[in-house]
Amino acid sequence: MSQIEERGSTHVYKVNRISKEEIDSMVERCVYEEPPFCNAACPLKLDTRAMLKAAGSGDLKKALQVYEKAAPFPLILSTGCEAPCEAKCRLCEVGDGIDIRNIEKAIARYGQQTRLGSIFRTKKKKTVAIFGSGLFPLFLAGELEKKAYPITVFCEQETLEAFLHCETPFLDTDAFSLELKRLKGKDIQFVFGCTITSSFLEEKRTAFDVLCASGSVFQQLYPEAAFLPELMICEAAQLVTCREEGVMAAAFGAKKAALTVDRLAQNLDPRNMRGSEGACESRLYTDLSEAILLKRIPENGQGYSAEEAVAEAKRCIQCHCEECMKSCAYLRHYKKYPGLLSKEIYNNTQIIMGDHQLNKPMNACSLCGQCTVVCPNGFDMAHVCHIARQNMVSTDKMPLAPHEFALLDLYFSNGDAFLARPQPGFDTCRYVFFPGCQASAIAPETVKAAYLDLCSRLEGGVALMLGCCGAICDWAGRYEMTGRTEEFIDREMSKLGNPIVIAGCPTCAKELKSHEEISVRGIWDVLLELGLPEGGYGLDRPVAVHDSCGARGDAETQKAIRTIAEELGCTVIETPYSGDRSPCCGYGGLTAYANREVAAEMTEQCLKRSEAPYLSYCMACRDRFARQGRESRHILELVYGTDAGSPPDISEKRRNRLTLKNDLLRELWLEEPMEMKLDYQLNYTEEARRLMDERMILTDDVIDVMNFYRETGEAVYDSESGLLIARNRVGNATFWIKFIRESENSYTVHGAYSHRMNVVKRQG
Amino acid sequence: MAIEKNYYTIDPEGKLQCMKCGVLLEKGKAKFMYLDNGFPVELPVCPVCGFVYVPEELALGKVASVERALEDK
Ligand code: SF4
Ligand code: SF4
Ligand code: SF4
Ligand SMILES: [Zn+2]
């Protein structure tokens, strides 16, 4: 089989591989959107973090805007509030928490107010009356004014000054005049000098839609009536009111009451749709390891100056959970934390007609599992992306283009380049060496040396299996193909007598372990048991070990690699994010095929951790680091005294696999392999080679086109460039080759390109 | 008569020759097809054998971007 069927444009809607509930519970795990601790502790839900951010940047005006959203009279609140937020500030755990209340005071005092009255806003139709004076009526009037209700306050006092002063004796003169100015700026009607009696109140009932009263008016007029504190309502008296009058109690009460008024004004049950009210617990995670132990800016009892407030606000570390973002280049690329990204990716799988804009992000995750380790809640983004891919495949919406090259590579590994043979002289074997498709492609000499070594030192026979474990199609979400690959490998294994697999690659080891019949060991374990062979070498400079995603959670393998490196004489350096926290090199999950940009960012992030040569135990990692020009070795190269040298291009990778197979067939099994010989000569310019590698065009594709050209003579001559251009459709793509015909049987290829669309002549 | 919509037109301007037929390619009617979608275009075509030529710039430019868009439909 050498062609994969392209999907059509009529999508079927088959299996849903993940339920809405499952994805919701996964999304739940991510605490990114949880409020910071200070904010959670505030009954008014003041966005403390945003306020401190603005203040810390010196923008007190903006800070005041944030503060005013929670507090219509910020000076009164900041003077009287008990600041439950301060005790919850995370910095308290490592030193002084932020002095939030004093910052708020300064913001209220020095931040200019922007909104000068609200006269120009359209008002709501429903009207509200408030009876009495005190903090609750004041705050409630402020809240309702924000909601644009026409409000009338009926109070005993004769002036606005007296109304404001009666409950705020704690304000100093400056603060008092500021708040008075603020009050005057608000669109609230006052009727002064009222004597509030039952009949007075009842009289107004016809003129207003909702009636509210201060706690003392309520007590006086309805001493026996029941009061519902969650709703701030006395249902018997049909009055929105309060019980306590402390600053925070009044402010929080006014918030709840304003919501009740809002619902009543719309003739809705005030019990419903209230959302979360009051202080709550936060599940947010904040890394305090880099929080600097700084002391509070002292306050001398007069309050902070504007500068002092800015300096104190600057100390806020802006609590956020960023563990995954810090460590994963993919998440940083898309600038979305996993909770949100998962939701969007899930929705992407649910679209039947229309653009699947999340295809690219969904296919760019390397399924490496690093996030699950670094996330304090174990968020498993790999699972989400993997399932989403499977879902797209099962509903026939998954484009083939991002993964086709890799999938065809698997067909090649398990087809033309596949080899399964018992050790010469054995019918079945106790072991089988499974180096992995990348090892044969990148370091064939090393594979050969390792196989010969294992054969010579292990009892019971060591078979050899050159092929792909199936990780490629599994990563692509092609579950049916994965099933077929598993069956294929199982069949081949049973022919060899179901030997114990000695895997040369941690990802193969992991993949093969999932087969019921197969037991797997890593070659690193076997080598430590047997002792290292002669001829190995260490590097004379310290090496940075890069742990493979395949070995995540496998401390023994990670340790074995380090032990081998040290036995060889290497000095091992540990980099940040090593062991289970290791990032992916960019190959995993087929990122390198589906999204080269993200893959490059992943490689770069890996290499940033150290300047030293990199030592890995997965050939794909070795290859990607070497491609970036870093000295990069696979542990087996050192063990067997080999050096795979500079990284091969995509065509050389295929040829290496074939050559290794054929060489071994000849040398060990004395079989003459079938080799395709071209009856003409093909040369490539350097530029052509470069373009082919970049455009993922294989020499095999070129040969397909040239064979077709020689058969049919179909080509175009471009008089401008002097080149001939021939084409052939191979599988799902059309390949175009630009060349010069040197002689009847010799051509030089100058360029190559391809497209997936099919082109035909149109009649009429 | 309805005016035909062509998504792309390329004139060979006498610079391209069909090697099989020994004649110059001409501007002719062709169609791109992908994932059950079709797009009428005008490309260099051999008037004798019907060989349709897709130049490199077109393949890597417009064609590639339409492919990506259709793949994510
Ligand atoms: S580490 Fe990432 S995935 Fe985990 S809770 Fe924090 S933001 Fe969410
Ligand atoms: S550091 Fe800042 S964001 Fe974090 S809890 Fe303290 S005040 Fe709130
Ligand atoms: S690339 Fe790895 S760390 Fe990043 S989201 Fe995917 S599985 Fe998690
Ligand atoms: Zn022709």
Side-chain angles (χ1 to χ4, degrees):
Chain A
M1 204 181 348
S2 63
Q3 189 176 341
I4 304 167
E5 209 177 310
E6 182 65 90
R7 71 162 168 84
S9 61
T10 33
H11 306 312
V12 273
Y13 200 62
K14 284 188 285 189
V15 217
N16 212 359
R17 303 195 141 244
I18 193 163
S19 68
K20 182 88 180 65
E21 291 68 42
E22 208 181 325
I23 194 81
D24 284 347
S25 86
M26 248 184 268
V27 167
E28 252 305 271
R29 281 187 172 219
C30 173
V31 299
Y32 184 89
E33 277 187 328
E34 285 281 304
F37 308 91
C38 47
N39 174 204
C42 172
L44 305 180
K45 300 226 180 298
L46 165 62
D47 190 350
T48 332
R49 183 174 60 191
M51 179 186 76
L52 293 173
K53 185 173 184 194
S57 74
D59 192 346
L60 294 187
K61 187 168 156 186
K62 189 163 163 206
L64 180 59
Q65 279 170 14
V66 180
Y67 191 27
E68 279 190 309
K69 272 191 206 144
F73 296 95
L75 272 165
I76 299 179
L77 185 69
S78 61
T79 312
C81 169
E82 295 111 47
C85 54
E86 286 182 9
K88 290 288 171 121
C89 172
R90 285 303 304 274
L91 289 181
C92 296
E93 293 163 41
V94 289
D96 289 350
I98 304 291
D99 190 344
I100 300 174
R101 200 169 62 112
N102 274 313
I103 296 173
E104 286 171 352
K105 265 187 174 171
I107 290 170
R109 200 175 285 260
Y110 305 114
Q112 294 157 329
Q113 211 191 341
T114 37
R115 192 160 55 84
L116 289 169
S118 41
I119 311 119
F120 303 113
R121 280 190 302 159
T122 36
K123 289 260 173 173
K124 293 208 167 92
K125 294 247 155 33
K126 300 291 175 83
T127 54
V128 183
I130 303 175
F131 301 94
S133 56
L135 286 172
F136 176 75
L138 177 69
F139 289 154
L140 179 57
E143 296 289 345
L144 291 172
E145 196 255 4
K146 269 195 282 181
K147 293 183 192 278
Y149 282 101
I151 311 141
T152 310
V153 177
F154 298 92
C155 61
E156 304 104 66
Q157 290 82 4
E158 295 293 343
T159 60
L160 204 56
E161 285 77 358
F163 173 82
L164 184 62
H165 191 70
C166 73
E167 291 298 337
T168 56
F170 48 81
L171 290 186
D172 61 28
T173 342
D174 283 354
F176 183 80
S177 55
L178 274 169
E179 288 302 55
L180 185 62
K181 201 172 134 210
R182 197 168 263 129
L183 178 56
K184 282 182 177 160
K186 292 190 195 291
D187 192 5
I188 302 169
Q189 298 295 314
F190 279 88
V191 180
F192 296 110
C194 306
T195 310
I196 300 161
T197 60
S198 298
S199 54
F200 180 83
L201 192 144
E202 290 309 324
E203 209 177 276
K204 303 285 181 271
R205 220 179 258 288
T206 45
F208 292 90
D209 294 288
V210 187
L211 299 192
C212 312
S214 70
S216 59
V217 166
F218 171 55
Q219 288 284 312
Q220 224 179 327
L221 303 185
Y222 305 94
E224 307 293 327
F227 169 73
L228 297 174
E230 316 81 59
L231 304 181
M232 304 301 286
I233 196 173
C234 167
E235 289 187 308
Q238 292 186 33
L239 202 60
V240 176
T241 181
C242 75
R243 270 269 164 73
E244 299 159 84
E245 278 272 330
V247 172
M248 183 43 94
F252 181 37
K255 273 242 166 338
K256 288 190 286 183
L259 182 57
T260 299
V261 170
D262 212 13
R263 305 277 306 166
L264 290 173
Q266 301 172 63
N267 289 324
L268 297 167
D269 187 342
R271 281 171 183 76
N272 301 335
M273 304 282 293
R274 297 190 72 90
S276 127
E277 290 177 288
C280 58
E281 288 295 318
S282 176
R283 295 187 301 131
L284 188 66
Y285 174 86
T286 309
D287 176 18
L288 290 175
S289 63
E290 282 170 29
I292 319 161
L293 228 173
L294 274 181
K295 288 255 162 276
R296 223 173 235 212
I297 307 280
E299 188 269 332
N300 59 7
Q302 303 295 311
Y304 282 143
S305 67
E307 294 72 34
E308 286 167 332
V310 170
E312 177 66 2
K314 260 202 184 92
R315 291 207 308 122
C316 165
I317 56 170
Q318 292 287 304
C319 294
H320 268 110
C321 182
E322 287 179 329
E323 298 314 292
C324 55
M325 287 273 177
K326 279 192 273 186
S327 48
C328 169
Y330 156 69
L331 293 172
R332 279 202 304 280
H333 181 92
Y334 286 105
K335 298 191 182 67
K336 281 184 185 147
Y337 56 93
L340 178 65
L341 192 56
S342 296
K343 236 188 279 178
E344 293 185 358
I345 286 178
Y346 174 76
N347 293 341
N348 190 67
T349 64
Q350 304 300 304
I351 303 169
I352 302 177
M353 300 296 277
D355 286 344
H356 293 83
Q357 287 176 349
L358 269 285
N359 276 1
K360 235 180 165 197
M362 175 187 77
N363 285 330
C365 166
S366 67
L367 311 181
C368 70
Q370 183 200 30
C371 49
T372 315
V373 177
V374 298
C375 169
N377 302 311
F379 200 102
D380 193 347
M381 194 66 206
H383 183 59
V384 172
C385 290
H386 191 213
I387 294 273
R389 291 180 201 182
Q390 292 182 334
N391 213 65
M392 296 291 287
V393 169
S394 72
T395 52
D396 205 20
K397 286 178 290 194
M398 180 66 125
L400 184 55
H403 296 144
E404 188 176 32
F405 187 91
L407 295 171
L408 289 175
D409 211 40
L410 174 142
Y411 281 176
F412 176 77
S413 297
N414 289 351
D416 290 349
F418 185 78
L419 180 71
R421 287 280 190 285
Q423 183 174 334
F426 290 82
D427 286 333
T428 56
C429 291
R430 180 131 177 247
Y431 303 99
V432 58
F433 179 41
F434 194 98
C437 61
Q438 295 303 302
S440 311
I442 293 158
E445 285 304 313
T446 311
V447 170
K448 187 173 165 186
Y451 180 56
L452 294 178
D453 175 46
L454 294 174
C455 284
S456 71
R457 294 199 289 156
L458 285 171
E459 300 286 325
V462 184
L464 179 65
M465 194 180 287
L466 300 179
C468 169
C469 64
I472 302 274
C473 43
D474 183 31
W475 283 338
R478 307 261 160 188
Y479 53 94
E480 283 168 347
M481 201 186 280
T482 309
R484 285 197 301 271
T485 307
E486 277 173 16
E487 282 165 24
F488 168 75
I489 290 188
D490 285 346
R491 254 192 330 269
E492 293 296 328
M493 288 290 179
S494 81
K495 284 190 219 160
L496 298 173
N498 282 327
I500 299 168
V501 173
I502 300 176
C505 159
T507 299
C508 298
K510 201 169 140 192
E511 193 75 31
L512 294 173
K513 267 181 198 156
S514 69
H515 294 230
E516 252 170 53
E517 306 290 318
I518 301 181
S519 70
V520 186
R521 307 190 61 190
I523 188 171
W524 41 90
D525 289 337
V526 176
L527 285 173
L528 280 179
E529 222 168 75
L530 294 174
L532 299 185
E534 293 289 303
Y537 66 99
L539 294 185
D540 51 3
R541 281 146 300 139
V543 291
V545 171
H546 172 79
D547 289 288
S548 153
C549 315
R552 202 180 303 285
D554 181 355
E556 277 173 36
T557 295
Q558 295 166 11
K559 187 157 164 280
I561 301 301
R562 286 161 174 78
T563 310
I564 294 176
E566 274 156 12
E567 276 188 29
L568 287 166
C570 292
T571 309
V572 170
I573 339 182
E574 291 301 341
T575 60
Y577 289 106
S578 69
D580 284 349
R581 296 163 63 88
S582 182
C584 174
C585 69
Y587 185 80
L590 303 184
T591 306
Y593 299 94
N595 196 319
R596 287 199 222 177
E597 201 186 335
V598 172
E601 287 165 18
M602 290 176 174
T603 315
E604 190 194 318
Q605 138 150 342
C606 288
L607 290 178
K608 262 210 316 248
R609 295 173 300 166
S610 170
E611 298 292 315
Y614 269 45
L615 181 62
S616 21
Y617 43 107
C618 162
M619 270 304 168
C621 304
R622 188 252 183 231
D623 187 56
R624 289 194 63 83
F625 299 152
R627 276 171 180 273
Q628 289 313 303
R630 181 64 64 94
E631 177 161 8
S632 167
R633 297 301 170 83
H634 189 280
I635 186 85
L636 291 180
E637 287 176 79
L638 303 190
V639 169
Y640 290 106
T642 50
D643 179 355
S646 49
D649 68 25
I650 52 170
S651 297
E652 285 162 344
K653 279 185 184 167
R654 285 210 172 177
R655 204 179 43 237
N656 284 346
R657 276 180 249 172
L658 261 191
T659 312
L660 174 66
K661 168 184 169 178
N662 291 340
D663 286 356
L664 290 173
L665 274 179
R666 259 189 295 266
E667 288 170 36
L668 297 180
W669 288 281
L670 312 174
E671 287 176 32
E672 196 44 50
M674 291 254 297
E675 275 184 279
M676 286 274 292
K677 280 264 180 310
L678 279 188
D679 48 6
Y680 55 94
Q681 207 188 338
L682 271 182
N683 303 307
Y684 296 85
T685 62
E686 218 168 277
E687 175 66 358
R689 281 270 183 210
R690 193 188 63 77
L691 289 177
M692 285 165 61
D693 203 45
E694 187 187 301
R695 298 173 182 175
M696 311 291 273
I697 297 171
L698 296 163
T699 47
D700 284 350
D701 301 325
V702 177
I703 291 169
D704 271 323
V705 174
M706 296 310 288
N707 287 346
F708 185 71
Y709 160 70
R710 282 167 61 88
E711 248 165 61
T712 62
E714 289 181 14
V716 164
Y717 176 70
D718 181 347
S719 60
E720 226 162 30
S721 63
L723 295 174
L724 287 166
I725 305 153
R727 54 94 181 88
N728 191 18
R729 186 134 182 108
V730 184
N732 295 311
T734 303
F735 293 91
W736 295 81
I737 306 304
K738 297 180 167 181
F739 62 98
I740 286 177
R741 184 171 173 270
E742 309 288 356
S743 70
E744 201 185 325
N745 285 321
S746 167
Y747 310 90
T748 305
V749 175
H750 283 249
Y753 59 97
S754 70
H755 52 79
R756 299 180 67 82
M757 285 215 228
N758 205 355
V759 68
V760 291
K761 196 171 174 283
R762 184 158 51 105
Q763 301 304 327
Chain B
M1 200 176 75
I3 299 167
E4 250 190 28
K5 188 178 177 200
N6 286 318
Y7 284 85
Y8 213 85
T9 301
I10 290 179
D11 192 333
E13 294 166 359
K15 289 176 197 147
L16 300 164
Q17 189 192 336
C18 176
M19 290 305 282
K20 192 170 150 188
C21 312
V23 296
L24 288 179
L25 302 194
E26 293 168 2
K27 188 168 84 175
K29 290 181 174 169
K31 190 164 109 183
F32 275 118
M33 290 184 312
Y34 192 44
L35 302 172
D36 298 350
N37 293 277
F39 304 91
V41 286
E42 285 183 318
L43 293 178
V45 177
C46 171
V48 182
C49 72
F51 187 110
V52 184
Y53 175 61
V54 181
E56 181 165 356
E57 307 72 50
L58 181 64
L60 301 181
K62 188 80 189 157
V63 168
S65 64
V66 173
E67 283 172 3
R68 294 301 87 77
L70 289 177
E71 280 156 12
D72 291 340
K73 279 270 174 258

